[in-house]
Amino acid sequence: KTAYEIMPSLVGSEMCIRDRKMDRAIMTVRGAELLREELKNLKSVDRPEIIKAIATAREFGDLKENAEYHAAKEKQSFIEGRIAEIESKLSNSEIIDVTKISVSNKVIFGSTVTLLNIDNDNVITYKIVGEDESDIESGLLSYKSPLSRAMIGKSIDDLVELKSPENTQRFQVTDISYH
């Protein structure tokens, strides 16, 4: 399948990313790598450490009033929950490698977009990524954000309007890259 068959709406102006069978977590190659690294760390470092902490806390005696034991069990519950969450996301993910998509001059998932704010001449750059990868301070914008939705399908020199109850911000797409 081509990227257009997998996610045609990421190239057009409409934004509805759903697999017909089930909702899929859409992510970049880097996002999948980061989740795999976190999963590996949780299983190989955090899980063994918490097992040791629980064993040590058990040695302190009465478990009913053992704060160290209860804290360790709570941390274990968090770790196991995060492991299950990451495994589920990875098994239900659609990993998009933007470098393998033959598209040019269109804003799509995974592209890096430079915008000029028409109202104040500020220049901002964002990469459109999956929900788990987004970090606005690092320039990583979720594909579900209003600005991403407004940018998808635009080309260089196109205008992007971001409407909110207070005002409308206008941007011009000045550059699009795929890396």
Side-chain angles (χ1 to χ4, degrees), residues 79-125:
I79 290 169
E80 295 302 326
R82 183 65 181 150
I83 287 170
E85 178 184 9
I86 293 172
E87 287 175 338
S88 175
K89 282 180 183 177
L90 287 172
S91 68
N92 291 315
S93 67
E94 188 71 49
I95 300 168
I96 307 297
D97 186 350
V98 73
T99 63
K100 295 196 174 19
I101 300 173
S102 60
V103 66
S104 63
N105 196 28
K106 285 275 187 206
V107 177
I108 62 170
F109 179 89
S111 58
T112 301
V113 184
T114 302
L115 300 169
L116 169 67
N117 186 319
I118 294 172
D119 300 323
N120 62 21
D121 289 334
N122 285 342
V123 175
I124 53 174
T125 301

Side-chain angles (χ1 to χ4, degrees), residues 18-164:
R18 299 208 186 274
D19 184 283
R20 294 193 196 290
K21 296 175 188 165
M22 64 174 60
D23 286 348
R24 292 207 175 259
I26 308 296
M27 63 185 72
T28 63
V29 173
R30 181 69 183 139
E33 288 171 358
L34 290 173
L35 280 179
R36 285 187 195 103
E37 287 173 20
E38 182 182 354
L39 182 62
K40 181 179 177 185
N41 186 63
L42 286 168
K43 286 182 169 183
S44 64
V45 177
D46 294 349
R47 184 187 267 168
E49 283 178 1
I50 199 65
I51 289 170
K52 287 179 188 173
I54 290 170
T56 301
R58 276 193 180 132
E59 294 173 2
F60 294 140
D62 186 11
L63 298 181
K64 290 179 184 174
E65 297 180 17
N66 187 330
E68 290 86 0
Y69 175 78
H70 292 289
K73 289 296 281 183
E74 186 174 323
K75 186 172 180 183
Q76 181 186 35
S77 175
F78 171 79
I79 290 169
E80 295 302 326
R82 183 65 181 150
I83 287 170
E85 178 184 9
I86 293 172
E87 287 175 338
S88 175
K89 282 180 183 177
L90 287 172
S91 68
N92 291 315
S93 67
E94 188 71 49
I95 300 168
I96 307 297
D97 186 350
V98 73
T99 63
K100 295 196 174 19
I101 300 173
S102 60
V103 66
S104 63
N105 196 28
K106 285 275 187 206
V107 177
I108 62 170
F109 179 89
S111 58
T112 301
V113 184
T114 302
L115 300 169
L116 169 67
N117 186 319
I118 294 172
D119 300 323
N120 62 21
D121 289 334
N122 285 342
V123 175
I124 53 174
T125 301
Y126 292 114
K127 181 171 185 164
I128 301 175
V129 298
E131 284 184 284
D132 290 321
E133 304 168 72
S134 65
D135 179 2
I136 195 77
E137 293 173 6
S138 299
L140 302 173
L141 193 62
S142 168
Y143 69 91
K144 290 188 174 183
S145 74
L147 182 56
S148 289
R149 290 174 179 257
M151 288 190 295
I152 297 289
K154 300 291 186 185
S155 300
I156 292 177
D157 293 331
D158 282 355
L159 293 179
V160 175
E161 285 192 348
L162 182 61
K163 295 179 182 182
S164 69

